[in-house]
Amino acid sequence: MMSKRKITVAYGDGIGPEIMNATLAILDAAGAQIEPDIIEIGEQVYYKGISSGIEPRAWDSLRETKVFLKAPITTPQGGGFKSLNVTTRKTLGLYANVRPCRAYSPCVKTHYPKTDLVIIRENEEDLYAGIEHRQTDEVYQCLKLISRPGSEKIIRYAFEYAKKYNRKKVTCMTKDNIMKLADGLFHTVFNEVATEYPEIETDHKIIDIGTALIAERPEIFDVIVTLNLYGDIISDVAAQVTGSVGLGGSSNIGEEVAMFEAIHGSAPDIAGKDLANPSGLLNGAIMMLVHIGQPEVAERVANAWMKTLEDGIHTSDIYQESISKMRVGTQEFAREVIKRLGQVPQSMKPASFAKGGEEGSGKMKLIKRTPAKKVMIGVDVFIDWSDAERDANVIGERLRQVNADGLKMQLITNRGVKVYPDGMRETFCSDHWRVRFFNAEESAITPDQTIEVLRQIKTLGFDFIKTENLYTFDGVRGFSLAQGE
Ligand code: NAD
């Protein structure tokens, strides 16, 4: 007999303990070879004054077991409490969020019975780096960071996933018609990695039309790989249209550690009432069993669970007079699933999972590259300036005096639109001005020249708030042009 695999388990808040008890009872009855190590996370920990919501000892458990089955927690509002999910993902490097969304028609009502897609969302970068600044009275900034290795890892993960699960197509979603550099990088890396998987069909959709298509024709998608923010939004759209928002599980995969959970929250409105549907967490646990190399147990659980749904045994959230036969509470639902262990559904495709386990599947070999030759050819200086008129010609004429050994002002933009020289009177101007400096011919400049530019700007009485160096990489511009430049 297989030895028991130690896993880290957290019961969480709200409905967390009820759905975790139900889930663990089913896993135990199905013969899962696991040994839970219980850790404390969530409200109680936050109120002890630990702003991350996770006990320090818990990290040791996670480092040892490398597998985390987590019930939802309640994030207290305000008070400097940090989101535990974001902390866990970032601290443990869980870069891939994997969310299968499938319809369980005819047992759960949906307009899209053929939906069976998987969203693979980048989990660490993008606007979620959490680097924000208020720079002027009127303007706030949130930095969007996209890295080549970060993009390559998640895209490669998506292709490997497609290969392992016999999926036919991977669709990349970005907004590279607008963010040509950041989203453009993600799309470029997608095209590069795709060449290594000729057997898999590929496609790219701009995120706005992509989202609309998920809402209208979800059956055309198979695996979708995308950036953090877009992935966050489309996973909820996809879960909603399959009619299974309370049923979905998800995994967060890193090179070492993996975390499994339900997609919903702690539902404080129904906590302690034995009303919660444990299916979301159970589906997360099924993904965990596949991950730790117990796919046969995962199949037993998934098939018994689908059979229970098929027999019309439903919790209140999915109960419908027309299709349901019996309304049950959380623990009774678990007992009904246990009764059906060994059975398979008739009206839905029975579960079948990849064999061999997935531990270590997050480790990716990245393409070796020689770094590009980087040359500084200019600088953008951002200035906080608000006089009554907000007249771009006034700031422009004054800054034309700046000359640092040939490094001179070329143009000024406001919120990305060129306003000097030759701006349009109609363009609205905030108090946040970007002033671009180049040498003649856009030739190489030195850091000393940029320091001299700042000194002269200060002498003219302007308040500079930040600089952004302008580089070429192997002769290619590494910065966007202004609208109207
Ligand atoms: P929620 O998902 O907890 O609840 C939304 C609605 O869905 C509620 O009406 C709830 O009763 C219902 N619902 C959710 N899960 C259900 C289930 N298993 N069975 C039946 N009904 C269910 O979202 P919310 O109300 O926005 O958030 C509540 C708390 O959960 C917040 O503190 C939030 O920060 C937290 N949260 C945690 C996680 C996580 O730990 N992964 C994720 C999302 C939200």
PDB file of all heavy atoms in Angstrom, residues 15 70 72-75 85 261 264-270 276-277 317, ligand 1:
ATOM      1  N   ILE A  15     -17.697  29.649   5.777  1.00  0.00           N
ATOM      2  CA  ILE A  15     -18.103  28.272   5.463  1.00  0.00           C
ATOM      3  C   ILE A  15     -16.901  27.334   5.359  1.00  0.00           C
ATOM      4  O   ILE A  15     -17.073  26.119   5.178  1.00  0.00           O
ATOM      5  CB  ILE A  15     -18.906  28.190   4.136  1.00  0.00           C
ATOM      6  CG1 ILE A  15     -18.064  28.769   2.966  1.00  0.00           C
ATOM      7  CG2 ILE A  15     -20.235  28.891   4.255  1.00  0.00           C
ATOM      8  CD1 ILE A  15     -18.673  28.526   1.590  1.00  0.00           C
ATOM      9  N   LYS A  70      -6.507  24.576   0.721  1.00  0.00           N
ATOM     10  CA  LYS A  70      -6.880  25.754   1.487  1.00  0.00           C
ATOM     11  C   LYS A  70      -8.365  26.083   1.323  1.00  0.00           C
ATOM     12  O   LYS A  70      -8.857  26.224   0.210  1.00  0.00           O
ATOM     13  CB  LYS A  70      -6.032  26.926   0.973  1.00  0.00           C
ATOM     14  CG  LYS A  70      -6.359  28.247   1.549  1.00  0.00           C
ATOM     15  CD  LYS A  70      -5.499  29.320   0.895  1.00  0.00           C
ATOM     16  CE  LYS A  70      -6.158  30.663   0.996  1.00  0.00           C
ATOM     17  NZ  LYS A  70      -7.390  30.770   0.235  1.00  0.00           N
ATOM     18  N   PRO A  72     -11.544  28.823   1.874  1.00  0.00           N
ATOM     19  CA  PRO A  72     -11.550  30.291   1.741  1.00  0.00           C
ATOM     20  C   PRO A  72     -11.430  30.989   3.089  1.00  0.00           C
ATOM     21  O   PRO A  72     -11.817  30.427   4.123  1.00  0.00           O
ATOM     22  CB  PRO A  72     -12.905  30.585   1.096  1.00  0.00           C
ATOM     23  CG  PRO A  72     -13.724  29.369   1.283  1.00  0.00           C
ATOM     24  CD  PRO A  72     -12.788  28.214   1.406  1.00  0.00           C
ATOM     25  N   ILE A  73     -10.908  32.181   3.054  1.00  0.00           N
ATOM     26  CA  ILE A  73     -10.796  32.964   4.288  1.00  0.00           C
ATOM     27  C   ILE A  73     -11.468  34.324   4.099  1.00  0.00           C
ATOM     28  O   ILE A  73     -11.727  34.752   2.977  1.00  0.00           O
ATOM     29  CB  ILE A  73      -9.331  33.176   4.703  1.00  0.00           C
ATOM     30  CG1 ILE A  73      -8.593  33.978   3.629  1.00  0.00           C
ATOM     31  CG2 ILE A  73      -8.630  31.887   4.975  1.00  0.00           C
ATOM     32  CD1 ILE A  73      -7.652  34.960   4.238  1.00  0.00           C
ATOM     33  N   THR A  74     -11.743  34.990   5.205  1.00  0.00           N
ATOM     34  CA  THR A  74     -12.316  36.328   5.174  1.00  0.00           C
ATOM     35  C   THR A  74     -11.178  37.318   5.344  1.00  0.00           C
ATOM     36  O   THR A  74     -10.417  37.219   6.308  1.00  0.00           O
ATOM     37  CB  THR A  74     -13.316  36.496   6.326  1.00  0.00           C
ATOM     38  OG1 THR A  74     -14.295  35.461   6.209  1.00  0.00           O
ATOM     39  CG2 THR A  74     -13.992  37.852   6.312  1.00  0.00           C
ATOM     40  N   THR A  75     -11.059  38.245   4.387  1.00  0.00           N
ATOM     41  CA  THR A  75     -10.041  39.291   4.545  1.00  0.00           C
ATOM     42  C   THR A  75     -10.707  40.474   5.237  1.00  0.00           C
ATOM     43  O   THR A  75     -11.634  41.058   4.685  1.00  0.00           O
ATOM     44  CB  THR A  75      -9.508  39.765   3.171  1.00  0.00           C
ATOM     45  OG1 THR A  75      -9.195  38.607   2.407  1.00  0.00           O
ATOM     46  CG2 THR A  75      -8.276  40.642   3.323  1.00  0.00           C
ATOM     47  N   ASN A  85      -4.180  35.613  -0.086  1.00  0.00           N
ATOM     48  CA  ASN A  85      -3.979  34.933  -1.366  1.00  0.00           C
ATOM     49  C   ASN A  85      -2.809  35.520  -2.129  1.00  0.00           C
ATOM     50  O   ASN A  85      -1.985  34.799  -2.672  1.00  0.00           O
ATOM     51  CB  ASN A  85      -5.244  35.049  -2.219  1.00  0.00           C
ATOM     52  CG  ASN A  85      -6.131  33.859  -1.990  1.00  0.00           C
ATOM     53  OD1 ASN A  85      -5.729  32.906  -1.342  1.00  0.00           O
ATOM     54  ND2 ASN A  85      -7.331  33.917  -2.504  1.00  0.00           N
ATOM     55  N   GLU A 261      -7.695  25.168  -4.116  1.00  0.00           N
ATOM     56  CA  GLU A 261      -8.795  25.807  -3.389  1.00  0.00           C
ATOM     57  C   GLU A 261     -10.061  25.873  -4.238  1.00  0.00           C
ATOM     58  O   GLU A 261     -10.047  25.515  -5.412  1.00  0.00           O
ATOM     59  CB  GLU A 261      -8.377  27.216  -2.961  1.00  0.00           C
ATOM     60  CG  GLU A 261      -8.028  28.123  -4.120  1.00  0.00           C
ATOM     61  CD  GLU A 261      -7.521  29.493  -3.693  1.00  0.00           C
ATOM     62  OE1 GLU A 261      -7.779  29.919  -2.553  1.00  0.00           O
ATOM     63  OE2 GLU A 261      -6.876  30.144  -4.524  1.00  0.00           O
ATOM     64  N   HIS A 264     -14.663  30.302  -4.938  1.00  0.00           N
ATOM     65  CA  HIS A 264     -15.512  31.256  -4.215  1.00  0.00           C
ATOM     66  C   HIS A 264     -14.869  31.676  -2.891  1.00  0.00           C
ATOM     67  O   HIS A 264     -13.826  31.154  -2.503  1.00  0.00           O
ATOM     68  CB  HIS A 264     -16.902  30.653  -3.964  1.00  0.00           C
ATOM     69  CG  HIS A 264     -16.856  29.367  -3.186  1.00  0.00           C
ATOM     70  ND1 HIS A 264     -16.563  29.342  -1.846  1.00  0.00           N
ATOM     71  CD2 HIS A 264     -17.050  28.087  -3.575  1.00  0.00           C
ATOM     72  CE1 HIS A 264     -16.592  28.088  -1.438  1.00  0.00           C
ATOM     73  NE2 HIS A 264     -16.871  27.298  -2.468  1.00  0.00           N
ATOM     74  N   GLY A 265     -15.514  32.620  -2.209  1.00  0.00           N
ATOM     75  CA  GLY A 265     -14.994  33.119  -0.936  1.00  0.00           C
ATOM     76  C   GLY A 265     -15.606  32.403   0.264  1.00  0.00           C
ATOM     77  O   GLY A 265     -16.161  31.298   0.129  1.00  0.00           O
ATOM     78  N   SER A 266     -15.519  33.054   1.426  1.00  0.00           N
ATOM     79  CA  SER A 266     -15.887  32.401   2.687  1.00  0.00           C
ATOM     80  C   SER A 266     -17.384  32.495   2.997  1.00  0.00           C
ATOM     81  O   SER A 266     -17.825  31.999   4.038  1.00  0.00           O
ATOM     82  CB  SER A 266     -15.083  33.020   3.818  1.00  0.00           C
ATOM     83  OG  SER A 266     -15.333  34.415   3.855  1.00  0.00           O
ATOM     84  N   ALA A 267     -18.158  33.134   2.123  1.00  0.00           N
ATOM     85  CA  ALA A 267     -19.623  33.216   2.231  1.00  0.00           C
ATOM     86  C   ALA A 267     -20.117  33.399   3.674  1.00  0.00           C
ATOM     87  O   ALA A 267     -20.886  32.566   4.175  1.00  0.00           O
ATOM     88  CB  ALA A 267     -20.259  31.970   1.597  1.00  0.00           C
ATOM     89  N   PRO A 268     -19.730  34.495   4.340  1.00  0.00           N
ATOM     90  CA  PRO A 268     -20.136  34.667   5.739  1.00  0.00           C
ATOM     91  C   PRO A 268     -21.655  34.672   5.929  1.00  0.00           C
ATOM     92  O   PRO A 268     -22.146  34.305   7.000  1.00  0.00           O
ATOM     93  CB  PRO A 268     -19.532  36.025   6.143  1.00  0.00           C
ATOM     94  CG  PRO A 268     -18.873  36.582   4.946  1.00  0.00           C
ATOM     95  CD  PRO A 268     -18.861  35.574   3.863  1.00  0.00           C
ATOM     96  N   ASP A 269     -22.395  35.029   4.835  1.00  0.00           N
ATOM     97  CA  ASP A 269     -23.864  35.083   4.962  1.00  0.00           C
ATOM     98  C   ASP A 269     -24.490  33.722   5.243  1.00  0.00           C
ATOM     99  O   ASP A 269     -25.586  33.649   5.796  1.00  0.00           O
ATOM    100  CB  ASP A 269     -24.484  35.728   3.687  1.00  0.00           C
ATOM    101  CG  ASP A 269     -24.014  35.079   2.385  1.00  0.00           C
ATOM    102  OD1 ASP A 269     -22.881  34.525   2.366  1.00  0.00           O
ATOM    103  OD2 ASP A 269     -24.757  35.124   1.397  1.00  0.00           O
ATOM    104  N   ILE A 270     -23.837  32.632   4.865  1.00  0.00           N
ATOM    105  CA  ILE A 270     -24.444  31.316   5.108  1.00  0.00           C
ATOM    106  C   ILE A 270     -23.578  30.453   6.039  1.00  0.00           C
ATOM    107  O   ILE A 270     -23.845  29.248   6.202  1.00  0.00           O
ATOM    108  CB  ILE A 270     -24.725  30.552   3.781  1.00  0.00           C
ATOM    109  CG1 ILE A 270     -23.447  30.433   2.918  1.00  0.00           C
ATOM    110  CG2 ILE A 270     -25.826  31.228   2.975  1.00  0.00           C
ATOM    111  CD1 ILE A 270     -23.571  29.402   1.803  1.00  0.00           C
ATOM    112  N   ALA A 276     -23.738  25.402   2.733  1.00  0.00           N
ATOM    113  CA  ALA A 276     -22.737  25.615   1.678  1.00  0.00           C
ATOM    114  C   ALA A 276     -22.543  24.383   0.807  1.00  0.00           C
ATOM    115  O   ALA A 276     -22.624  23.241   1.271  1.00  0.00           O
ATOM    116  CB  ALA A 276     -21.407  25.994   2.303  1.00  0.00           C
ATOM    117  N   ASN A 277     -22.282  24.641  -0.459  1.00  0.00           N
ATOM    118  CA  ASN A 277     -21.957  23.576  -1.399  1.00  0.00           C
ATOM    119  C   ASN A 277     -20.443  23.302  -1.294  1.00  0.00           C
ATOM    120  O   ASN A 277     -19.647  24.197  -1.538  1.00  0.00           O
ATOM    121  CB  ASN A 277     -22.316  24.064  -2.809  1.00  0.00           C
ATOM    122  CG  ASN A 277     -22.186  22.976  -3.846  1.00  0.00           C
ATOM    123  OD1 ASN A 277     -21.553  21.952  -3.608  1.00  0.00           O
ATOM    124  ND2 ASN A 277     -22.780  23.208  -5.002  1.00  0.00           N
ATOM    125  N   ASP A 317     -27.816  26.138  -3.341  1.00  0.00           N
ATOM    126  CA  ASP A 317     -27.359  27.083  -4.368  1.00  0.00           C
ATOM    127  C   ASP A 317     -27.624  26.603  -5.786  1.00  0.00           C
ATOM    128  O   ASP A 317     -27.758  27.416  -6.702  1.00  0.00           O
ATOM    129  CB  ASP A 317     -25.849  27.364  -4.194  1.00  0.00           C
ATOM    130  CG  ASP A 317     -25.029  26.087  -4.203  1.00  0.00           C
ATOM    131  OD1 ASP A 317     -25.406  25.130  -3.512  1.00  0.00           O
ATOM    132  OD2 ASP A 317     -24.013  26.041  -4.923  1.00  0.00           O
TER     133      ASP A 317
HETATM  134  P1  NAD B   1     -18.282  34.716  -1.704  1.00  0.00           P
HETATM  135  O1  NAD B   1     -17.805  33.873  -2.830  1.00  0.00           O
HETATM  136  O2  NAD B   1     -17.849  34.323  -0.347  1.00  0.00           O
HETATM  137  O3  NAD B   1     -19.879  34.757  -1.729  1.00  0.00           O
HETATM  138  C1  NAD B   1     -20.641  35.248  -2.827  1.00  0.00           C
HETATM  139  C2  NAD B   1     -22.067  34.643  -2.792  1.00  0.00           C
HETATM  140  O4  NAD B   1     -21.983  33.271  -3.180  1.00  0.00           O
HETATM  141  C3  NAD B   1     -22.699  34.659  -1.403  1.00  0.00           C
HETATM  142  O5  NAD B   1     -24.065  34.900  -1.527  1.00  0.00           O
HETATM  143  C4  NAD B   1     -22.447  33.259  -0.884  1.00  0.00           C
HETATM  144  O6  NAD B   1     -23.420  32.830   0.041  1.00  0.00           O
HETATM  145  C5  NAD B   1     -22.483  32.423  -2.147  1.00  0.00           C
HETATM  146  N1  NAD B   1     -21.574  31.268  -2.039  1.00  0.00           N
HETATM  147  C6  NAD B   1     -20.211  31.287  -2.073  1.00  0.00           C
HETATM  148  N2  NAD B   1     -19.727  30.058  -1.937  1.00  0.00           N
HETATM  149  C7  NAD B   1     -20.791  29.232  -1.794  1.00  0.00           C
HETATM  150  C8  NAD B   1     -20.916  27.841  -1.603  1.00  0.00           C
HETATM  151  N3  NAD B   1     -19.851  27.039  -1.533  1.00  0.00           N
HETATM  152  N4  NAD B   1     -22.152  27.325  -1.491  1.00  0.00           N
HETATM  153  C9  NAD B   1     -23.229  28.113  -1.572  1.00  0.00           C
HETATM  154  N5  NAD B   1     -23.177  29.438  -1.757  1.00  0.00           N
HETATM  155  C10 NAD B   1     -21.963  30.003  -1.861  1.00  0.00           C
HETATM  156  O7  NAD B   1     -17.829  36.210  -2.027  1.00  0.00           O
HETATM  157  P2  NAD B   1     -17.899  37.525  -1.133  1.00  0.00           P
HETATM  158  O8  NAD B   1     -19.180  37.562  -0.361  1.00  0.00           O
HETATM  159  O9  NAD B   1     -17.577  38.627  -2.077  1.00  0.00           O
HETATM  160  O10 NAD B   1     -16.686  37.414  -0.136  1.00  0.00           O
HETATM  161  C11 NAD B   1     -16.790  36.955   1.218  1.00  0.00           C
HETATM  162  C12 NAD B   1     -15.404  36.902   1.828  1.00  0.00           C
HETATM  163  O11 NAD B   1     -14.620  35.926   1.163  1.00  0.00           O
HETATM  164  C13 NAD B   1     -14.617  38.203   1.765  1.00  0.00           C
HETATM  165  O12 NAD B   1     -13.973  38.424   2.993  1.00  0.00           O
HETATM  166  C14 NAD B   1     -13.599  37.942   0.680  1.00  0.00           C
HETATM  167  O13 NAD B   1     -12.419  38.689   0.886  1.00  0.00           O
HETATM  168  C15 NAD B   1     -13.337  36.479   0.844  1.00  0.00           C
HETATM  169  N6  NAD B   1     -12.823  35.773  -0.349  1.00  0.00           N
HETATM  170  C16 NAD B   1     -11.890  34.827  -0.119  1.00  0.00           C
HETATM  171  C17 NAD B   1     -11.405  34.077  -1.184  1.00  0.00           C
HETATM  172  C18 NAD B   1     -10.361  33.038  -0.890  1.00  0.00           C
HETATM  173  O14 NAD B   1     -10.009  32.821   0.251  1.00  0.00           O
HETATM  174  N7  NAD B   1      -9.861  32.352  -1.903  1.00  0.00           N
HETATM  175  C19 NAD B   1     -11.883  34.288  -2.479  1.00  0.00           C
HETATM  176  C20 NAD B   1     -12.878  35.257  -2.690  1.00  0.00           C
HETATM  177  C21 NAD B   1     -13.357  35.989  -1.601  1.00  0.00           C
END
